[in-house]
Amino acid sequence: MNHINHYLRGALMILAVILVTACGSNEEQVEAKPEPVHIESGDECHVCGMVIEGFPGPKGEVITEKDQHVRKFCSTRDMFAWMLQPENVNRDHTLYVHDMAQTEWDSPDDTALIDARMAFYVVGSERDGAMGPTLASFANESGAVAFKKEYGGQVLKYGDVTMEHINTEMPMGDMHDMGEGDSSTMEY
Ligand code: CU1
Ligand code: ZN
């Protein structure tokens, strides 16, 4: 009987050690996500360099995984253009975009910033953002569908947006040609 007890105690101690170790490493992994930062007047887009404030359409914000650097973007379009780069696409950066169901297109309010990875996007609509064609972002799919019904385009989840969507909607030659909206002819 003492033999069994002895082995049992040994097994329990090993189990306890495993549990403590597992808990320790878990705690390290679960870090709180950084909160969104307000877009201040004078902030410039990390991609195109233009001052962000005063332009219509949803903006983007990235807080980098390791250094917690804040990158702000004039448009969801520019945020995706940066985030889809090979050096960023697999990083666990924290991303925010405006929920356009909660705020005005012409002057999005930072109280409406939402997790960009959970958002729904309307690509190819007729509403222009800061750089022309952009991706209209929404917290709920229903908001994206309602927007699409009114302004056209296609509803995509975060993970379904590719560089192709970005480039098709925004040819380089039209970068600062706002308001023309002719994206019918595109050749590569
Ligand atoms: Cu720009
Ligand atoms: Zn920009």
Side-chain angles (χ1 to χ4, degrees):
M1 135 182 195
N2 278 337
H3 261 84
I4 296 171
N5 267 345
H6 185 76
Y7 283 123
L8 195 62
R9 205 179 301 166
L12 281 174
M13 276 177 75
I14 290 168
L15 191 66
V17 168
I18 291 170
L19 282 176
V20 166
T21 318
C23 285
S25 63
N26 260 353
E27 259 168 58
E28 277 167 41
Q29 278 166 15
V30 182
E31 281 172 31
K33 239 170 56 148
E35 294 290 312
V37 179
H38 277 284
I39 293 163
E40 313 283 353
S41 62
D43 279 348
E44 291 171 3
C45 175
H46 188 62
V47 167
C48 71
M50 67 191 248
V51 172
I52 296 169
E53 209 182 44
F55 289 94
K59 319 288 176 237
E61 193 173 296
V62 172
I63 301 153
T64 60
E65 178 186 13
K66 279 187 187 153
D67 306 326
Q68 311 279 286
H69 284 151
V70 179
R71 311 274 189 231
K72 296 171 181 175
F73 301 87
C74 70
S75 53
T76 48
R77 188 264 161 201
D78 273 7
M79 186 194 77
F80 274 101
W82 184 82
M83 193 58 204
L84 290 171
Q85 295 300 315
E87 66 267 34
N88 297 318
V89 71
N90 291 321
R91 292 296 188 85
D92 191 23
H93 299 321
T94 302
L95 316 178
Y96 291 101
V97 292
H98 286 112
D99 176 12
M100 299 317 290
Q102 288 183 54
T103 189
E104 293 298 314
W105 187 270
D106 289 326
S107 56
D109 194 289
D110 289 348
T111 55
L113 286 170
I114 52 161
D115 183 347
R117 293 180 191 272
M118 302 300 288
F120 294 85
Y121 298 88
V122 183
V123 180
S125 83
E126 59 191 40
R127 288 217 96 169
D128 280 350
M131 299 290 286
T134 193
L135 300 89
S137 38
F138 294 90
N140 299 306
E141 191 169 15
S142 58
V145 170
F147 183 91
K148 175 195 153 173
K149 275 186 188 146
E150 196 165 354
Y151 301 106
Q154 180 190 0
V155 177
L156 297 173
K157 288 181 184 170
Y158 174 84
D160 296 330
V161 177
T162 65
M163 216 49 163
E164 212 171 310
H165 294 116
I166 307 298
N167 290 333
T168 311
E169 295 313 312
M170 174 64 59
M172 292 304 280
D174 278 1
M175 282 289 262
H176 289 280
D177 187 5
M178 299 194 200
E180 286 294 316
D182 178 17
S183 56
S184 54
T185 50
M186 225 129 290
E187 281 166 18
Y188 291 94

